[in-house]
Amino acid sequence: MSATKQEPEMTFENAAAMGLSQEEWNLILTRLGRTPNLCELGIFSAMWSEHCSYKSSKKWLKTLPVDGPQVIEGPGENAGAIDIGDGLAAIFKIESHNHPSFIEPYQGAATGVGGILRDVFTMGARPVALLNALRFGAPDHEKTRHLLAGVVSGIGGYGNCIGIPTVGGEVNFDPSYNGNILVNAMAVGLANSDRIFRSAATGPGNPVIYVGAKTGRDGIHGATMASAEFSDETESKRPTVQVGDPFTGKLLMEACLELMASDAVLSIQDMGAAGLTSSSVEMASKGGLGMEMDLDLVPAREEGMSAYELMLSESQERMLMVLKPEATDTARQIFDKWDLDFMPIGKVTETGRLVLLKDGAVACDIPLAPLVDDAPEYDRPQADVTPRPVLDSAKVTSDAPVADILKSLIGSIDLASRRWIYEQYDSQVMADTIAGPGGDAGLIRVHGSRRGLAVSTDCTPRYVEADPRTGGAQAVAEGWRNLSAIGARGLAITNNLNFGNPEKPDIMAQMAQSVLGMGDAARALDTPVVSGNVSLYNETDGRAILPCPVVGMVGTIEDISSAVGVAPTADGQTLVVIGQDASQDDGWLGVSLYARNLAGDPKAAPPPVDLEAERRNGLFVQQQIAAGGIRAAHDISDGGLAVAIAEMCVAGGIGATIELPETGNRHGWAFGEDQARYVIATDDAVALLAAAQAAGVPAAAIGSTRAGGQLQFGGETAISVSELHSLAEATIPTLMQGG
């Protein structure tokens, strides 16, 4: 079909405006054997965008481990699924909404939450938990307060209204995010393991049904916008940001779950990035079939929408499904009951083509294979990653008391309490939350049982920048530690790869090498990657963000009553470091918060990640918690051992006396960020240390809890735990008040 007289013939300039390269434009002409019209070009642009096609990352994503006895569904579906026993599956995924959230923080964040929830309940799961991973610019940047307030309100506004608890997450600040914040949303749901729904269309002639909210002009070309760098003209892109409605989202979730229970659904797909385009193309192509749709039948809330607009709109709260023909009336009754649109708009075909009708004419007729199977895949050049030197702790430390350094760190934006943020999220709705934000991992009761689902999100961007492969592995390892610290076993991960422009060799190296590191750790810890998202071109005026490959980990604990938190429970409990023996008198300060905040951030290597030690130490902690030998536990991460101890004391409202090493470097020992370590509180140190020795796990008693609310390191002057609490709690509220 040639272009109609009503619209100009498309040229490369049109393609370039939609983010396509000259080579990609030429490829489209070759595949079609003609010039595409506007609607067809828009469809190619969306499906070949980084956001939908993974054309720069696909080569590296293929190296990740995706299989295991626990895996029911790996990457490629709306979300991943793992078997958690008792006939149940955990369904989960994390996705980015970075660019929309910078342009319009409330709606960008809210629709990120809505979209990831649809990915989960599309698989037949009832969502039970939300998490997030957020990155903002410098605290003193002119936009940071506005963006932080808007994003937090958007996450809370959608999650709280739809009634899903937000149980965990992470928030960091760095100047590299001044012009490009990161908003990654994760959802976890539960389904019967034999009732998981997939997206591949089946049965030529079966009806294709549009359900949910009406289509408007919001979010048109959102996927393309998410695949481009920002500039000073970003504000003009507000129309590409979607508008969410959590109340409609709740109705849609309940209607879909009710319909799935009726055994009417053959396949179902969320209308997420690229809207009706991606949902129809992915459903038909996965089934090896074709699809024909009449766009005049699409429920629209605006007049005169063109085929291009209807196909590229990213209006929220919409789904596409293929139903059993005999079940159409039953399905319509369900959606009428929930006051949602239900409209048959087409049918599955055997043609292998996407055919769209509009105003009585053919608006699009293109083969599906080039859109999906033949989408470009690039092996982009990578710069060499130059190893950084190991930092000599003696060159960056002083004789200042450990307590003084601790006070300066605990009140920094890096370590300050995130309470102001997470208290705006409802973490208790549904009444199954055992542990919410503020601890090492979120913990949700599997309803009606003693079993629990543990979840976390993690990444340390400064490690990834210093050594991408180590940083990628560390993100997985820290997720493993966070779950282990409450007594849970990590089972699988989802990832969100946030990077700058992959056409730059140094950025491409960051992404590729971090994925390899992530794969190393996932294999070592038996936590395959079952879903994920890639967000590239996170740059503004050529300045890239700190690389941030976020890992969301999901695991289980057999008995929620055995789970522990970070707070010691009584006076006189022994504090033991797991993963470090009594002879250690220094620590790894390279790329630590100590080095960044107090020593000028020298270019150095990050702490190495020993995956064998991570696995061994984590399993030991899990086993000891299950056996009742550990009363409280905390993984050692940002800020090192002293910060972990301080956080435990603040959480428990209790003091502690800590023995400092007699030799070596006290600041290195206290603030080094050596990996694979935990601080635990125990009532029986003799038994625990003997068990550690038998398991080949390094361990050392370093002190004990004490009444009175004072934390003392060696012979130094004690510091008040209440003062530490005040320092930690004041930072973000002061920031948000303009202080």
Side-chain angles (χ1 to χ4, degrees), residues 117-339:
L117 285 171
R118 289 195 303 278
D119 281 337
V120 166
F121 72 72
T122 299
M123 300 283 289
R126 178 167 291 280
V128 296
L130 287 164
L131 300 92
N132 52 67
L134 313 177
R135 301 294 188 278
F136 296 97
D140 59 357
H141 188 265
E142 60 183 359
K143 288 189 175 182
T144 296
R145 275 196 304 150
H146 162 70
L147 292 169
L148 176 58
V151 165
V152 171
S153 295
I155 291 171
Y158 204 104
N160 296 353
C161 288
I162 202 169
I164 311 297
T166 298
V167 301
E170 54 172 358
V171 185
N172 293 140
F173 299 83
D174 187 87
S176 72
Y177 305 112
N178 283 348
N180 195 131
I181 63 174
L182 302 183
V183 176
N184 295 175
M186 179 176 170
V188 187
L190 289 172
N192 292 328
S193 55
D194 61 351
R195 294 285 295 168
I196 294 174
F197 291 81
R198 293 168 172 84
S199 57
T202 59
N206 283 334
V208 174
I209 313 292
Y210 172 115
V211 301
K214 289 179 168 59
T215 296
R217 289 189 169 94
D218 53 317
I220 291 175
H221 261 306
T224 305
M225 182 268 288
S227 305
E229 293 183 29
F230 273 171
S231 71
D232 291 331
E233 295 161 1
T234 293
E235 297 298 325
S236 67
K237 299 192 179 211
R238 285 187 188 275
T240 62
V241 178
Q242 310 91 329
V243 177
D245 178 358
F247 300 104
T248 301
K250 171 68 170 175
L251 298 178
L252 181 62
M253 178 175 71
E254 298 299 342
C256 286
L257 292 175
E258 182 177 340
L259 180 62
M260 289 168 174
S262 74
D263 204 31
V265 178
L266 293 174
S267 53
I268 183 168
Q269 174 75 39
D270 163 42
M271 287 192 218
L276 192 51
T277 287
S278 63
S279 55
S280 58
V281 169
E282 289 175 9
M283 289 179 78
S285 63
K286 286 177 183 177
L289 297 165
M291 193 170 287
E292 180 180 307
M293 297 186 295
D294 185 345
L295 299 184
D296 291 323
L297 300 175
V298 172
R301 66 170 183 264
E302 299 185 45
E303 300 244 341
M305 291 187 70
S306 67
Y308 172 88
E309 291 172 322
L310 289 165
M311 289 302 292
L312 275 300
S313 168
E314 294 185 10
S315 294
Q316 296 292 286
E317 288 82 45
R318 304 179 300 156
M319 311 282 271
L320 197 65
M321 55 181 68
V322 177
L323 299 182
K324 296 177 179 177
E326 66 275 14
T328 303
D329 288 342
T330 299
R332 186 188 300 278
Q333 291 171 10
I334 290 172
F335 278 83
D336 284 348
K337 182 182 78 171
W338 292 100
D339 197 24

Side-chain angles (χ1 to χ4, degrees), residues 40 68 72 164 219 264 285 293 349 387 397 477 507 570 711:
E40 293 168 337
I72 297 173
I164 311 297
S285 63
M293 297 186 295
T349 69
T397 53
I507 303 297
L711 174 57

